[in-house]
Amino acid sequence: MKYLALVLAAACQSAQPADVSATGVELIDAPAGVADVASLVRVTALQLAVRHRRLVVYVGATWCEPCQQIHAAIAAHQLDATFPDLSLLVFDFDRDEPALDKAGYTSPFIPLFALPAPDGRASERREFGGKHAVDNVPLLTGKLRRLLD
């Protein structure tokens, strides 16, 4: 509970006026060492709701080829028209795996895209996995569409 209060206080202090005109996919890097993923997800969801953005928890890894491809597509704004109000809270599987496991954000493959439940834990709505040596952007875009429909 103390952690949640600290996260909320930090969020309020660092909050900037919402830019409601901003559109496109937004990547939000989860801080290293997060012990309570569900609390962070809950706070992030509240912040994004004020900005009328949808939250998806994204678990990837630096070595993951599909993850690298989707990151590059997002950086190049290739998905902005398809997902104008999407925010991805990004966790690194290798760094955050124990904390992710406690909050239910696990899967047999990465990347993992999961919708959070109201308590910040992972809901049953999730899509995961990519392929090696192919263009994963269309595949992962389809998975995100299915998840958000």
Side-chain angles (χ1 to χ4, degrees):
M1 194 54 107
K2 182 178 179 181
Y3 175 77
L4 180 57
L6 292 173
V7 169
L8 284 169
C12 291
Q13 290 174 355
S14 67
Q16 298 177 4
D19 181 3
V20 294
S21 65
T23 61
V25 180
E26 170 184 38
L27 295 174
I28 303 168
D29 290 318
V34 171
D36 188 348
V37 168
S39 292
L40 176 63
V41 171
R42 233 180 8 258
V43 168
T44 304
L46 291 171
Q47 291 173 327
L48 293 173
V50 171
R51 295 175 48 212
H52 306 288
R53 295 189 62 86
R54 297 185 292 174
L55 173 63
V56 170
V57 173
Y58 165 45
V59 179
T62 57
W63 50 263
C64 168
E65 182 182 334
C67 302
Q68 294 166 0
Q69 291 176 8
I70 199 71
H71 275 266
I74 291 167
H77 303 283
Q78 294 173 359
L79 305 180
D80 289 355
T82 305
F83 305 110
D85 61 348
L86 177 60
S87 295
L88 298 172
L89 180 56
V90 182
F91 289 91
D92 182 279
F93 176 79
D94 294 321
R95 180 189 72 194
D96 303 316
E97 194 246 338
L100 289 163
D101 187 45
K102 288 179 190 174
Y105 291 100
T106 57
S107 75
F109 302 103
I110 57 173
L112 165 68
F113 300 108
L115 291 180
D119 66 356
R121 294 181 49 77
S123 74
E124 293 300 316
R125 300 217 33 215
R126 59 184 66 215
E127 292 281 341
F128 54 83
K131 297 181 180 180
H132 292 286
V134 300
D135 180 5
N136 280 277
V137 175
L139 172 70
L140 298 178
T141 300
K143 290 179 183 236
L144 278 168
R145 275 194 189 119
R146 280 192 303 275
L147 185 64
L148 294 168
D149 285 343

